[in-house]
Amino acid sequence: MDLPQHGYRASAKPRARAGPHTGDPLLFADTSSAAPPMNNQGYYTPGYSIGGAPVGGPADAGVNNLFADPIASAAMMYGSSLANQGKEIVNKEISRYVSVNKLKYFFAVDSKYVMKKLLLLVFPYTHQDWEVRYHRDTPLTPRHDVNAPDLYIPSMAFITYILLAGMALGIQKRFSPEVLGLCASTALVWVVIEVLVMLLCLYILSLHSDLSIFDLFAYSGYKYVGMIFTVLGGLLFGSDGYFVALTWSSCALMFFIVRSLKMKILSSLSHDSMGAGATAKPRLRLYITVATAAFQPLIIYWLTSHLVR
């Protein structure tokens, strides 16, 4: 008797899975689809290189071998010693002509000193004490004594003068790099000439003073402040303003130079109090001081008159 068909089929026997291939082993492993190893936080583990070479491979080994090479190490040490010797020689040669520690003294300023010094240069008539203060035979730094000369204000004033000269030339449609370079070199050369002439006069007349070459550059460089004031007066108020500013800055600078150099030059009379010609040397000191002060307005006019029209 046949059974009715209900649409069900007898389940087939499960197939046996094929075992791993046990034939000849592969010559090269297929790693083209293999992903780099990742840690449990989902980031690639360090040491994996995208190019396929792990970090610390042959390239790094070559670098390590280079530094491990005794010849390379000796060459590096020799080059380092040569560089240090060259630095010492340069510093020694510079120290022969310029004392770095002494030069640092002239730049030991702060904002309070700069403001007081600028006011003193513009209006010196009410200042009473012009003597430079000392501490154990050493002059106080400019930040502690407004009467001490510095090189910071002359340096910054020189740069400001060059920028102001460029602006004045640009307003007059006469600006060019050559003209601006000529203004800068002329202003610098005049200061150098002034310092050399003063040193020569002191040497020829055998006058002793406490002035160093840095002191002379500082006092001679203060004229740049008056030059800036003069050029600004000419640019803002025309020729009338220029001559008014020139007169004011010249008188203020002359008064400042005479009172400052008086404490430096005329205060050293004790060195020349003995010997022939001792009575004439104070008069020579006074002449040098007055001549230096009287020379300032001429230089200011010479260096600023072509900038104002």
Side-chain angles (χ1 to χ4, degrees):
M1 182 175 177
D2 296 333
L3 295 174
Q5 300 291 330
H6 294 284
Y8 295 99
R9 296 180 59 186
S11 60
K13 294 181 179 181
R15 295 182 180 181
R17 296 185 178 181
H21 181 71
T22 58
D24 297 333
L26 294 176
L27 295 178
F28 300 99
D30 185 10
T31 60
S32 60
S33 61
M38 301 179 66
N39 55 20
N40 54 3
Q41 295 180 351
Y43 296 101
Y44 295 118
T45 57
Y48 181 79
S49 175
I50 297 178
V55 177
D60 292 340
V63 175
N64 294 331
N65 291 334
L66 177 63
F67 286 102
D69 189 359
I71 298 178
S73 300
M76 292 179 61
M77 293 177 62
Y78 182 70
S80 178
S81 63
L82 285 180
N84 292 332
Q85 291 178 3
K87 184 178 179 181
E88 292 177 359
I89 293 174
V90 171
N91 293 334
K92 184 178 180 181
E93 292 297 324
I94 292 176
S95 299
R96 288 178 57 186
Y97 303 99
V98 179
S99 177
V100 178
N101 293 330
K102 195 170 184 180
L103 189 60
K104 289 180 180 179
Y105 163 84
F106 290 91
F107 287 91
V109 301
D110 53 11
S111 57
K112 185 178 179 180
Y113 166 82
V114 172
M115 293 300 298
K116 288 184 176 180
K117 196 73 168 188
L118 291 177
L119 292 176
L120 184 61
L121 290 171
V122 175
F123 194 83
Y125 307 108
T126 58
H127 191 64
Q128 299 296 328
D129 185 13
W130 293 87
E131 187 175 359
V132 177
R133 297 185 179 90
Y134 285 81
H135 177 68
R136 296 180 181 178
D137 297 334
T138 302
L140 296 179
T141 57
R143 68 165 60 99
H144 298 110
D145 185 12
V146 71
N147 295 322
D150 72 286
L151 290 174
Y152 175 81
I153 291 179
S155 302
M156 295 298 104
F158 174 76
I159 297 174
T160 305
Y161 163 74
I162 299 304
L163 297 177
L164 192 61
M167 185 180 70
L169 293 172
I171 293 174
Q172 301 171 12
K173 308 297 182 182
R174 297 189 296 120
F175 177 81
S176 66
E178 292 80 10
V179 176
L180 188 62
L182 182 62
C183 291
S185 59
T186 304
L188 188 61
V189 166
W190 271 112
V191 171
V192 174
I193 292 176
E194 182 182 353
V195 171
L196 292 178
V197 169
M198 195 165 183
L199 286 175
L200 184 63
C201 292
L202 293 175
Y203 176 76
I204 292 177
L205 300 176
S206 300
L207 299 177
H208 300 280
S209 68
D210 296 334
L211 289 171
S212 66
I213 188 171
F214 296 124
D215 293 325
L216 294 177
F217 271 109
Y219 288 119
S220 180
Y222 286 138
K223 68 170 60 67
Y224 293 129
V225 177
M227 292 164 59
I228 294 171
F229 182 72
T230 302
V231 174
L232 283 177
L235 292 178
L236 295 177
F237 305 104
S239 60
D240 294 337
Y242 169 79
F243 285 106
V244 171
L246 176 63
T247 304
W248 181 275
S249 60
S250 299
C251 294
L253 185 60
M254 290 174 62
F255 186 87
F256 174 83
I257 291 295
V258 169
R259 295 304 300 268
S260 298
L261 292 185
K262 179 181 178 181
M263 304 305 300
K264 287 287 187 177
I265 296 179
L266 299 181
S267 62
S268 301
L269 294 176
S270 60
H271 294 281
D272 303 319
S273 59
M274 302 298 293
T279 58
K281 286 188 176 182
R283 193 181 308 164
L284 294 176
R285 295 173 188 271
L286 181 61
Y287 289 162
I288 292 177
T289 303
V290 174
T292 302
F295 193 58
Q296 305 305 313
L298 299 177
I299 301 180
I300 294 177
Y301 177 77
W302 177 262
L303 296 176
T304 58
S305 59
H306 66 283
L307 298 176
V308 179
R309 289 185 177 180

